[in-house]
Amino acid sequence: MMRRFYLLLAGMALAGVLPLVAQDPADPAEPKIVIEPSSTKLSLAKAELTVSPLECKAPGLCGTYTIKVTPFTFKNDFGKLTLTMSDLIVGKMKAGEPVEFTGMATSERDGKTKAIKGTTTPNAKETGLVNFVVTSEDGDLVFNSSYHLVR
């Protein structure tokens, strides 16, 4: 699993998403991926997605999420987010291509899981665009945002 993680980082570096740098053994911290907040319109509401900085952990990228639905606050949700990374994704990243990913959001409110799929498109060194599709009981929620890396 750790081998896959390091391949992912190497792939991101080759794709220009994550630069390869010599890591100081005294500072084992890996870069985090920051997803900018985004929103989408629903028929009678607006849903806002906030994702914590994503950390590279087995089996992929992990963090937390919050979805706020205005004016239907009873639909608000929060929990853990895991985006799975495979060798195929790493290969595409090495080629500098847009990457498709899948994952799972697990609600801390009710324990239910929601499937997530999406794409990333690098547009400059350490930045790019990201699209999340969250499958919910009420249909798919599509969020478009951007990402950047922080150290």
Side-chain angles (χ1 to χ4, degrees):
M1 218 28 98
M2 288 306 289
R3 180 176 181 269
R4 190 175 278 177
F5 163 72
Y6 289 113
L7 284 173
L8 169 66
L9 289 179
M12 290 174 82
L14 291 172
V17 175
L18 176 65
L20 275 177
V21 294
Q23 197 68 286
D24 180 356
D27 181 16
E30 297 292 339
K32 295 179 182 180
I33 299 172
V34 174
I35 308 291
E36 297 300 322
S38 60
S39 63
T40 190
K41 291 188 180 211
L42 309 170
S43 60
L44 297 173
K46 177 181 176 183
E48 296 177 16
L49 173 67
T50 305
V51 177
S52 71
L54 299 174
E55 297 183 39
C56 296
K57 295 181 181 177
L61 299 173
C62 300
T64 61
Y65 73 93
T66 303
I67 294 179
K68 292 185 180 179
V69 182
T70 306
F72 305 114
T73 57
F74 63 92
K75 292 282 191 178
N76 291 354
D77 195 17
F78 63 95
K80 296 183 190 263
L81 176 68
T82 303
L83 304 178
T84 306
M85 296 293 165
S86 69
D87 292 339
L88 177 62
I89 291 172
V90 173
K92 285 185 176 184
M93 292 177 105
K94 285 180 181 178
E97 298 174 20
V99 172
E100 294 181 8
F101 60 86
T102 60
M104 229 19 131
T106 305
S107 175
E108 297 225 357
R109 186 179 58 148
D110 59 16
K112 292 183 180 179
T113 60
K114 296 170 188 66
I116 295 184
K117 61 183 177 180
T119 58
T120 62
T121 306
N123 62 11
K125 189 175 183 178
E126 297 190 2
T127 66
L129 303 175
V130 62
N131 166 271
F132 284 99
V133 179
V134 180
T135 302
S136 75
E137 297 168 346
D138 300 320
D140 288 349
L141 301 175
V142 179
F143 297 95
N144 294 304
S145 187
S146 61
Y147 70 86
H148 66 275
L149 276 79
V150 294
R151 301 195 187 286

